[in-house]
């Protein structure tokens, strides 16, 4: 071959011209398949695999070895038949939701959920002819009463962002199962598979923003969906295939590294958060602490029954003095970073009304106990005394 052909084909793995060869190295960590397309053995294989994209690799938007590895791991951790990797938590939620709702349907979801998930229902799906009812999903009767003949989805976020309300997945699933054709999706991001397995409690699909605890280091934006093979196949084809929110192989690879330490991280997140919550609960400048591990939390008993191994690393705090007090605290934190997101190894502080929940109206926020004087803390794995000292010095400045 001449130089320009050689530049492309010589010693290229799988290239026919140079004769394909198998890699000899047994990599300890999986390689990153940074490729958009896959060489198919012959015409018949190409025809077959395009009809059966979960049985091989054709094109990275349909699946990749790095995503496949991640999906198998997530399915295992969530006790599911199958899982799907998506490019963000919202990508996972919108893909899962769109795979079950159609024009004319009605959806029931919680009065406290992540702001952009709320926007998906309230601002996007309404334009496609889908109606909704928001209820307090910690009250199972409210869920039951909201179900209509055209309800196709009950969507539950637990623990809920940002007030950490815990909904009883098993009890809601019992209500849902009394009706034909209703799917129950649970956003279990705040718990991670380490603390909660919604499918075991009767949910049909579980979604996570893998950007948070699953990754753990704030380096990847990703989402996952887990459930039965039939449901996941439908999410993949045609929904993910058409929406195109696929996870990049490098991001899937990074997530695989992050997940190795999920257990040790969650244990430290939980024990640190419990200590911080107990400290803040007694603080004279604090009105209220929302942490499901505290006995004072209204849904502590459900959390105790439903979550295993701890109550997570997230909490919200009403600071006396409203927005001005919040500004003082947030501008003076030294160990906590003023940043949205959560579940990172390092601690973060945000103002939920103006950051994660800006999509809701002030009236909707107040009705959901998301007050202007409220901050949300994502407790990291630092030495807890340093976190408490940081809060102490900032609160003292009010
Ligand atoms: C509970 C919950 N679900 C989903 C999301 C969306 O995740 P992502 O930002 O990865 O799209 C978030 C983001 O904060 C969240 O808090």
């Amino acid at each position: 071959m001449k130089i320009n052909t050689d530049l492309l084909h010589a010693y290229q793995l799988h290239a026919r011209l140079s004769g394909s060869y198998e890699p000899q190295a047994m990599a300890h960590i999986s390689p990153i398949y940074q490729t958009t397309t896959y060489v198919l053995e012959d015409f018949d294989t190409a025809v077959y695999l395009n009809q059966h994209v979960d049985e091989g690799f054709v094109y990275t938007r349909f699946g990749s070895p790095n995503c496949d590895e991640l999906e198998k791991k997530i399915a295992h951790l969530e006790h599911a038949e199958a899982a799907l990797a998506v490019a963000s938590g919202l990508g996972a939620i919108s893909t899962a939701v769109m795979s079950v709702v159609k024009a004319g349907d009605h959806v029931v979801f919680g009065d406290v959920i992540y702001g952009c998930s709320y926007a998906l229902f309230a601002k996007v799906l309404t334009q496609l002819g889908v109606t909704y009812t928001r209820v307090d999903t910690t009250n199972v009767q409210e869920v039951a009463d909201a179900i209509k003949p055209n309800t196709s989805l009950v969507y539950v976020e637990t623990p809920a962002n940002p007030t950490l309300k815990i909904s009883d997945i098993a009890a809601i699933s019992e209500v849902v199962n009394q009706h034909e054709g209703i799917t129950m999706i649970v956003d279990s991001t705040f718990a991670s598979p380490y603390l909660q397995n919604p499918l075991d409690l009767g949910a049909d699909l579980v979604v996570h923003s893998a950007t948070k605890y699953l990754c753990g280091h704030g380096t990847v934006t990703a989402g996952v969906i887990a459930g039965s093979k039939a449901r996941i196949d439908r999410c993949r084809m045609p929904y993910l295939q058409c929406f195109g929110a696929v996870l990049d192989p490098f991001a899937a690879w990074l997530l695989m590294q992050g997940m190795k330490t999920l257990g040790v991280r969650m244990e430290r997140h939980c024990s640190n958060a419990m200590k911080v919550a107990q400290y803040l609960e007694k603080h004279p400048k604090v009105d209220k602490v929302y942490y499901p591990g505290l006995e004072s939390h209204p849904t502590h008993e459900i959390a105790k029954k439903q979550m295993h191994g701890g109550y997570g690393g997230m909490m919200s705090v009403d600071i006396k003095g409203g927005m001005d007090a919040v500004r003082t605290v947030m501008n003076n934190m030294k160990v906590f970073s003023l940043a949205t997101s959560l579940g990172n190894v390092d601690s973060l502080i945000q103002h939920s009304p103006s950051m994660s929940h800006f999509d809701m109206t002030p009236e909707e926020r107040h009705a959901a106990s998301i007050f202007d004087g409220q901050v949300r803390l994502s407790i990291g794995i630092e030495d807890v005394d340093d976190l408490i000292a940081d809060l102490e010095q900032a609160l003292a400045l009010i």
Side-chain angles (χ1 to χ4, degrees):
M1 298 294 152
K2 295 195 176 138
I3 176 80
N4 285 306
T5 308
D6 274 346
L7 283 172
L8 292 164
H9 297 282
Y11 296 102
Q12 175 75 36
L13 202 62
H14 303 304
R16 288 209 181 142
L17 289 178
S18 60
S20 66
Y21 64 92
E22 290 300 317
Q24 296 300 311
M26 293 280 284
H28 170 50
I29 304 294
S30 304
I32 304 168
Y33 289 79
Q34 200 66 39
T35 179
T36 53
T37 194
Y38 293 84
V39 177
L40 303 168
E41 230 167 271
D42 52 32
F43 174 77
D44 291 327
T45 311
V47 171
Y48 180 84
L49 281 183
N50 270 278
Q51 301 302 320
H52 304 86
V53 292
D54 57 336
E55 291 181 32
F57 302 109
V58 175
Y59 185 58
T60 290
R61 183 156 45 79
F62 304 158
S64 66
N66 294 103
C67 284
D68 185 54
E69 190 178 57
L70 171 65
E71 287 163 356
K72 292 198 162 99
K73 193 157 206 131
I74 294 289
H76 186 73
L77 294 174
E78 281 294 11
H79 312 155
E81 271 177 11
L84 184 62
V86 190
S88 69
L90 239 299
I93 294 166
S94 55
T95 302
V97 167
M98 291 302 284
S99 78
V100 298
V101 299
K102 58 180 191 323
D105 283 0
H106 170 255
V107 174
V108 177
F109 64 90
D111 53 358
V112 182
I113 61 171
Y114 172 52
C116 294
S117 307
Y118 162 79
L120 170 69
F121 294 116
K123 299 185 178 170
V124 178
L125 287 173
T126 45
Q127 293 189 40
L128 304 178
V130 176
T131 54
Y132 66 83
T133 307
R134 289 169 73 227
V135 297
D136 176 0
T137 50
T138 67
N139 182 336
V140 181
Q141 194 54 48
E142 276 197 31
V143 177
D145 292 346
I147 289 175
K148 299 181 181 185
N150 61 336
T151 303
S152 61
L153 170 66
V154 171
Y155 180 89
V156 177
E157 184 178 297
T158 184
N161 184 358
T163 58
L164 282 300
K165 289 209 292 193
I166 308 294
S167 299
D168 189 332
I169 300 169
I172 296 175
S173 143
E174 248 179 60
V175 166
V176 167
N177 287 338
Q178 286 164 13
H179 302 264
E180 279 287 307
I182 304 183
T183 295
M184 179 175 173
I185 299 180
V186 173
D187 181 339
S188 189
T189 296
F190 273 32
S192 90
Y194 196 75
L195 301 180
Q196 180 173 284
N197 297 113
L199 301 178
D200 290 350
L201 302 171
D204 297 302
L205 288 171
V206 55
V207 291
H208 289 273
S209 165
T211 315
K212 321 297 186 194
Y213 288 106
L214 285 167
C215 167
H217 298 78
T219 49
V220 173
T221 300
V224 292
I225 315 171
S228 68
K229 182 164 178 341
R231 286 184 182 276
I232 294 297
D233 282 352
R234 185 170 158 79
C235 286
R236 189 189 301 275
M237 290 290 212
Y239 292 93
L240 186 61
Q241 177 207 18
C242 294
F243 293 155
V246 291
L247 189 63
D248 174 73
F250 179 47
W253 182 88
L254 276 172
L255 204 42
M256 287 294 288
Q257 309 317 312
M259 279 167 55
K260 290 180 184 178
T261 56
L262 180 67
V264 285
R265 285 188 283 110
M266 288 315 292
E267 281 167 22
R268 179 72 86 93
H269 283 300
C270 291
S271 69
N272 276 2
M274 183 63 101
K275 287 177 193 152
V276 170
Q278 285 166 344
Y279 157 77
L280 288 172
E281 200 177 29
K282 295 198 197 89
H283 200 289
K285 292 188 180 166
V286 165
D287 244 344
K288 190 166 174 187
V289 179
Y290 306 74
Y291 183 64
L294 293 176
E295 281 178 15
S296 60
H297 191 274
T299 49
H300 171 68
E301 287 306 319
I302 307 171
K304 204 157 127 187
K305 176 183 81 160
Q306 183 162 280
M307 299 174 77
H308 37 79
Y311 301 95
M314 297 302 300
M315 71 187 66
S316 282
V317 186
D318 289 338
I319 298 177
K320 287 181 186 162
M323 287 270 243
D324 287 339
V326 164
R327 185 176 292 106
T328 302
V329 170
M330 289 184 62
N331 284 346
N332 287 286
M333 299 301 290
K334 296 190 166 47
V335 180
F336 283 77
S337 300
L338 195 172
T340 194
S341 201
L342 60 112
N344 291 1
V345 282
D346 39 352
S347 295
L348 307 174
I349 182 168
Q350 73 141 27
H351 182 236
S352 305
S354 54
M355 295 171 82
S356 56
H357 290 73
F358 71 89
D359 268 305
M360 294 167 80
T361 64
E363 295 73 33
E364 284 168 338
R365 281 199 300 267
H366 293 163
S369 301
I370 306 169
F371 301 118
D372 292 347
Q374 192 175 92
V375 293
R376 192 189 71 188
L377 304 179
S378 172
I379 303 296
I381 64 168
E382 298 94 338
D383 287 302
V384 71
D385 293 347
D386 291 328
L387 298 179
I388 290 174
D390 197 27
L391 287 161
E392 178 83 27
Q393 63 81 25
L395 286 165
L397 298 171
I398 299 171

